[in-house]
Amino acid sequence: MTTPALETKYVFTITAKIGEVITAGETGIGVRRIIPIIGGEVTGAITGKVLPFGADFQTIRPNELIDLEAKYAFETDDGAVVYIENKGMRFGPVELLQKLKRGEPVDPKLIYFRTVPKFETGHQKYRWLMQHIFVGSAARHADRVVIDVHQVM
């Protein structure tokens, strides 16, 4: 017997608007940054709005690899609230990562930015989000992060 084939299916896109970066400084393991999540939208198989609270808590390692841990929520158009913990990493050429830090545009294809979102909700219609594993392919822009969420089948 063989194991099931690993496949993914696109489900929805989260566009999270972000606020000004807050830097806590060098902590001994890297530079700690906190990026407020101030709104946004969800489009695709699920539609709704990103709620205006939460943040992405980042550690920028000495080699510029960025560990990400975002905690926030969205509300679907039919009123369900879905909590998200989204962990991941962003890495690429140092000069391009520095351009992103300055808010300058960078082709998202040149930056490795992947996440593993985990969802929680009490709404029965969306409980399936808690029963599957998801992966995200993301892009950082000056005022937002765009994450295409794929369900692992």
Side-chain angles (χ1 to χ4, degrees), residues 1-150:
M1 298 183 94
T2 60
T3 60
L6 186 62
E7 299 174 14
T8 63
K9 176 181 81 170
Y10 168 79
V11 185
F12 55 91
T13 298
I14 300 170
T15 300
K17 294 180 184 174
I18 55 176
E20 294 295 318
V21 176
I22 301 163
T23 302
E26 171 58 54
T27 64
I29 58 170
V31 175
R32 171 63 74 178
R33 297 183 344 152
I34 303 159
I35 302 171
I37 295 171
I38 59 174
E41 64 180 358
V42 179
T43 57
I46 297 175
T47 57
K49 62 182 178 184
V50 176
L51 297 172
F53 62 83
D56 182 4
F57 303 91
Q58 303 181 347
T59 301
I60 303 175
R61 305 287 176 198
N63 66 352
E64 294 292 321
L65 183 137
I66 302 170
D67 287 325
L68 310 145
E69 184 175 357
K71 297 181 179 193
Y72 56 106
F74 66 81
E75 182 178 359
T76 63
D77 286 343
D78 57 358
V81 173
V82 179
Y83 169 73
I84 307 167
E85 284 188 15
N86 202 0
K87 295 182 181 182
M89 67 181 324
R90 190 169 75 218
F91 190 70
V94 172
E95 63 276 5
L96 296 181
L97 293 169
Q98 289 174 347
K99 283 180 80 171
L100 280 176
K101 276 190 213 175
R102 293 190 299 266
E104 297 173 26
V106 172
D107 182 350
K109 293 179 183 133
L110 301 176
I111 304 293
Y112 183 85
F113 187 178
R114 303 294 184 269
T115 69
V116 181
K118 191 174 178 183
F119 303 98
E120 292 180 32
T121 185
H123 196 288
Q124 190 62 37
K125 179 178 176 182
Y126 299 100
R127 298 287 287 193
W128 62 274
L129 290 169
M130 297 170 56
Q131 299 163 347
H132 293 87
I133 291 176
F134 296 85
V135 292
S137 179
R140 171 74 151 86
H141 302 277
D143 63 343
R144 69 196 181 287
V145 173
V146 179
I147 306 164
D148 288 339
V149 178
H150 300 258

